Amino acid sequence: MPVPARLRLELPNEISPVSVQPIVDQLNQATAASSFELHLRCNGGGCVNTMIDLIVALHNTEANVVITFGRYVMSAAATIWLWFLVRATPNVQSLHPLKPGVVMYHRPRRMQMGEYICFADEIQAGHPLKPALLQQFKLFDDLFMDVHNALLLQAPDGSLRGAPSETLIFKDDGLTYRHW
């Protein structure tokens, strides 16, 4: 039986409802016989809620999906690629780029409130948007720790090594720094 051709779904420039919804629709309608390459081409990131919608659709799809990127992935796009790099599922995985690329990963750092761009630290504790932003922070922080641990356990030659000892601990200004 011939293997079906892999359909390339390209997501260039940004993660937005307009760019992502057609891909989410295809993933939701896909069967186990479907095969996709989700290619993040020169993607600067975008909307966190849309990024979460795409991650959920990737988790729920029956299709076989590989996620690739070209040149760079930033912010929300980097999160999608990293998510399935360290948390691959039986049918969704991120592949390493064929050429050197740039990955810029960070927490969501602001919300638009009318015409004002509000940084997370500026949102008052009782504000109704604060819990949603804290929930997003947890998602990003948990993924960061998974990526951090995966990188620590990979030797420069690609082989796996034991967890490094974290005996050197430095505390300053209420923060703890672990060095290896």
Side-chain angles (χ1 to χ4, degrees):
M1 181 176 202
V3 175
R6 183 175 286 156
L7 179 62
R8 184 176 167 119
L9 305 173
E10 192 159 308
L11 191 51
N13 305 325
E14 69 176 356
I15 306 297
S16 71
V18 170
S19 65
V20 169
Q21 192 58 52
I23 293 171
V24 167
D25 292 342
Q26 275 197 288
L27 292 170
N28 289 340
Q29 296 167 8
T31 65
S34 304
S35 183
F36 298 109
E37 174 188 359
L38 174 58
H39 185 67
L40 306 166
R41 183 176 57 83
C42 303
N43 197 301
C47 177
V48 173
N49 291 330
T50 302
M51 173 204 77
I52 292 170
D53 291 344
L54 181 53
I55 289 172
V56 169
L58 286 161
H59 268 286
N60 293 333
T61 190
E62 294 181 22
N64 178 16
V65 182
V66 294
I67 302 170
T68 60
F69 80 88
R71 296 190 55 199
Y72 61 86
V73 284
M74 307 285 181
S75 195
T79 303
I80 293 165
W81 181 76
L82 285 167
W83 189 282
F84 291 97
L85 183 70
V86 298
R87 298 175 176 170
T89 67
N91 59 330
V92 181
Q93 66 175 333
S94 290
L95 303 180
H96 290 274
L98 297 177
K99 296 179 181 178
V102 175
V103 178
M104 189 270 295
Y105 178 78
H106 67 92
R107 278 179 157 183
R109 61 189 184 280
R110 63 183 184 180
M111 299 183 93
Q112 187 97 23
M113 299 174 76
E115 302 245 345
Y116 177 67
I117 295 175
C118 183
F119 287 84
D121 293 341
E122 299 167 332
I123 298 176
Q124 299 290 327
H127 193 283
L129 295 177
K130 187 79 169 190
L133 192 57
L134 291 176
Q135 185 177 5
Q136 288 178 355
F137 279 6
K138 181 168 176 17
L139 180 144
F140 281 81
D141 290 349
D142 290 350
L143 178 59
F144 178 84
M145 288 311 298
D146 288 351
V147 170
H148 173 73
N149 291 335
L151 293 176
L152 282 179
L153 297 177
Q154 187 172 4
D157 66 359
S159 65
L160 292 179
R161 60 180 167 203
S165 65
E166 295 177 350
T167 56
L168 180 59
I169 296 176
F170 176 71
K171 293 185 178 190
D172 186 34
D173 297 330
L175 300 174
T176 300
Y177 302 90
R178 295 180 295 185
H179 297 274
W180 174 60

